[in-house]
Amino acid sequence: NAGVTQTPKFQVLKTGQSMTLQCAQDMNHNSMYWYRQDPGMGLRLIYYSASEGTTDKGEVPNGYNVSRLNKREFSLRLESAAPSQTSVYFCASRVVYEQYFGPGTRLTVT
Amino acid sequence: AQKITQTQPGMFVQEKEAVTLDCTYDTSDQSYGLFWYKQPSSGEMIFLIYQGSYDEQNATEGRYSLNFQKARKSANLVISASQLGDSAMYFCAMRGVETSGSRLTFGEGTQLTVNP
């Protein structure tokens, strides 16, 4: 089992560019999450998906969109990147009480 | 709304000694879960331990134990016999069953340094 995988690991964007962060899990979990982590802070929830076909906003959803493509995949899209979106992005999936995190994507917007 | 407070930005401990990392929480939910995660310098998030609000005994996982005091709304992590590899950022988190949609709310973290 690969667990939770994320691509890419690193990305540099210019202001106004768009990109999609990919996340996949092979553990057959229903719930998946996207978080961002800014320097010196804990993780903050951007969007989550309780099951295939459903998505809900988290604490900081502005500037992002998500797609739950199927049970395995949950993507995060930045339509017009801004420097304030420079962060490390974590995808996670959940079974019962434990959340499994991916390795993270370090995104810099210049 | 849920809130997690970690009041220790940094902690230092000597190798082989025990250390307690503080966490207090606030929630209106009756049923909730408390978590601790470790984030080493490599960046991944590693699950350490879980405590349910209705669990009568404090959770333990190897050298990690969670000192749960419900009335005080605290969920401190105790690491016994610290090792150099324990140097990392530690995050306390919670999930309320009734109101949070199973989302985790994180504290700001405590940077632990283990000295040889």
Side-chain angles (χ1 to χ4, degrees), chain A residues 67-87:
Chain A
S67 296
R68 183 74 183 267
L69 304 168
N70 47 55
K71 194 170 187 179
R72 288 187 65 249
E73 298 171 291
F74 187 37
S75 62
L76 178 72
R77 183 160 179 84
L78 287 70
E79 291 291 350
S80 179
S84 61
Q85 294 178 304
T86 292
S87 191

Side-chain angles (χ1 to χ4, degrees), chain B residues 5-11 19-23 36 89 109-111:
Chain B
T5 302
Q6 294 181 253
T7 57
Q8 306 156 314
M11 287 285 285
V19 62
T20 298
L21 306 184
D22 293 341
C23 173
W36 278 91
M89 182 73 87
T110 295
Q111 180 69 49

Side-chain angles (χ1 to χ4, degrees), chain B residues 53-99:
Chain B
S53 59
Y54 290 114
D55 293 342
E56 293 187 352
Q57 299 213 345
N58 286 343
T60 61
E61 289 286 348
R63 294 187 298 111
Y64 304 107
S65 60
L66 198 152
N67 184 0
F68 180 47
Q69 298 187 44
K70 195 170 183 177
R72 298 181 60 185
K73 292 190 174 179
S74 75
N76 298 339
L77 177 70
V78 181
I79 305 175
S80 63
S82 298
Q83 301 173 355
L84 295 178
D86 293 334
S87 292
M89 182 73 87
Y90 288 81
F91 292 99
C92 180
M94 75 173 295
R95 181 175 65 236
V97 174
E98 290 111 36
T99 61

